[in-house]
Amino acid sequence: MGGLLESTDQAMFLDPAIRNWVLFPITVIMVLVGVFRHQLTILMTGQPPKPDIKDIRQGKALMRGQMLAQNNSYIPTAAFLERKKYLCQAYEDGTYLKDKAVKDKSPTDLMTDPKNMEVMMDGMKKQMMGIVPQTLIMGWIQFFFSGFILIKLPFPLGLRFKQMLQSGIMTPNMDVRWVSSISWYFINLFGLRGVFSLLLGGENLADGTRDMTAMSTMGAMGQQPGQPQDFNKQFLGMKDNLSIIYHEWDLENVEQRVLV
């Protein structure tokens, strides 16, 4: 029992040079690379064009169907059926499409549209500007600082955080609060969002987590990064989702349930 207590109360001391030449440089370099990426992306793609009112309408119409599908149990059955009937008919007729002629076009025609080609090129440029710097930084950290312990967190954590905070270190008995170099990279990747918002504004292009979120969303929808959105296909898919929903109002006979 005494040996177990001694193993949990570890006395480890870090060389101050690790803080000065590894910990701080990783954070500073990631901030500078983010700022450089933001400025370079603007130079390569230019200022993003103002969204067209019809484009906004398409997105909001799709979002309206998603909200109805997620929150259908909060409205009475009659109200849900009326909304479902209206939206399903609008989705099928292409009422909310920016260009109703797109409804009869094939995906190949959408890919060859010059406007869509420009959107695809801008999307690919932004993806490359996000992937290349992060890949280089991760490779630099793994090559020069693999196996380094950089910092100890001042608050206790459970064992479930061990794999996340001590990536690349094969020491099963080490305290969970110690953070490895590659884990410090991921902490900065997800934690510098507020710093970039303060330096570059809320709509900045330096946040790498946005690219990861966008790529995962497109992958879930079966869409390749940079590919133009086929709203007609998404509308028809949402129509099918709404058609199969079994509605049950959460407040049905609520008076009797409260009194009982």
Side-chain angles (χ1 to χ4, degrees):
M1 187 68 179
L4 179 61
L5 293 175
E6 290 177 2
S7 63
T8 57
D9 187 15
Q10 298 170 349
M12 295 177 58
F13 301 94
L14 294 179
D15 190 338
I18 294 179
R19 176 196 61 199
N20 299 334
W21 297 103
V22 181
L23 179 69
F24 291 160
I26 289 176
T27 303
V28 172
I29 287 175
M30 292 191 68
V31 172
L32 295 178
V33 168
V35 175
F36 177 75
R37 173 196 170 189
H38 172 79
Q39 300 296 337
L40 186 60
T41 304
I42 292 178
L43 289 176
M44 292 181 63
T45 61
Q47 291 290 345
K50 293 183 179 180
D52 186 68
I53 186 65
K54 292 184 178 180
D55 291 329
I56 300 176
R57 185 187 182 208
Q58 287 185 135
K60 295 297 183 180
L62 187 63
M63 188 182 300
R64 183 179 179 186
Q66 295 171 349
M67 294 291 290
L68 180 62
Q70 294 173 0
N71 306 306
N72 66 87
S73 60
Y74 299 150
I75 58 177
T77 303
F80 170 73
L81 293 178
E82 286 294 328
R83 287 169 171 80
K84 183 178 77 170
K85 179 181 178 181
Y86 173 78
L87 286 177
C88 288
Q89 189 64 41
Y91 290 156
E92 185 175 359
D93 296 340
T95 305
Y96 295 112
L97 288 175
K98 178 181 179 181
D99 184 8
K100 293 187 178 181
V102 176
K103 184 179 179 182
D104 301 325
K105 290 185 178 180
S106 64
T108 306
D109 296 331
L110 293 176
M111 296 286 287
T112 56
D113 190 348
K115 294 183 179 179
N116 292 334
M117 289 292 292
E118 184 177 356
V119 172
M120 289 177 59
M121 290 300 297
D122 289 343
M124 292 177 63
K125 290 178 183 178
K126 291 180 180 179
Q127 293 293 333
M128 291 300 298
M129 291 302 300
I131 294 173
V132 173
Q134 300 301 338
T135 303
L136 293 177
I137 293 176
M138 184 182 295
W140 168 65
I141 293 174
Q142 288 183 332
F143 183 79
F144 289 101
F145 309 121
S146 178
F148 276 52
I149 294 294
L150 304 186
I151 191 174
K152 184 178 182 181
L153 300 178
F155 45 86
L157 293 170
L159 290 176
R160 68 180 65 180
F161 294 96
K162 186 175 182 63
Q163 185 175 4
M164 180 177 65
L165 295 178
Q166 296 178 3
S167 177
I169 298 185
M170 302 299 180
T171 50
N173 296 325
M174 182 179 291
D175 191 350
V176 181
R177 292 180 292 174
W178 293 102
V179 181
S180 66
S181 56
I182 191 65
S183 296
W184 181 247
Y185 160 78
F186 285 108
I187 290 175
N188 281 275
L189 180 64
F190 292 97
L192 290 176
R193 183 182 305 177
V195 176
F196 289 137
S197 299
L198 183 63
L199 295 176
L200 305 172
E203 298 297 328
N204 64 82
L205 303 172
D207 187 5
T209 57
R210 293 183 180 179
D211 295 334
M212 298 171 63
T213 304
M215 291 179 67
S216 62
T217 303
M218 290 180 178
M221 298 172 59
Q223 182 179 351
Q224 297 297 326
Q227 181 179 348
Q229 291 184 338
D230 188 353
F231 276 100
N232 184 47
K233 183 178 179 181
Q234 296 183 36
F235 284 154
L236 294 179
M238 182 55 62
K239 170 182 171 293
D240 294 338
N241 292 339
L242 291 175
S243 301
I244 63 176
I245 290 178
Y246 174 76
H247 180 266
E248 185 175 357
W249 189 26
D250 286 346
L251 298 181
E252 187 72 30
N253 300 322
V254 64
E255 301 89 350
Q256 298 179 7
R257 284 185 285 168
V258 171
L259 294 176
V260 172

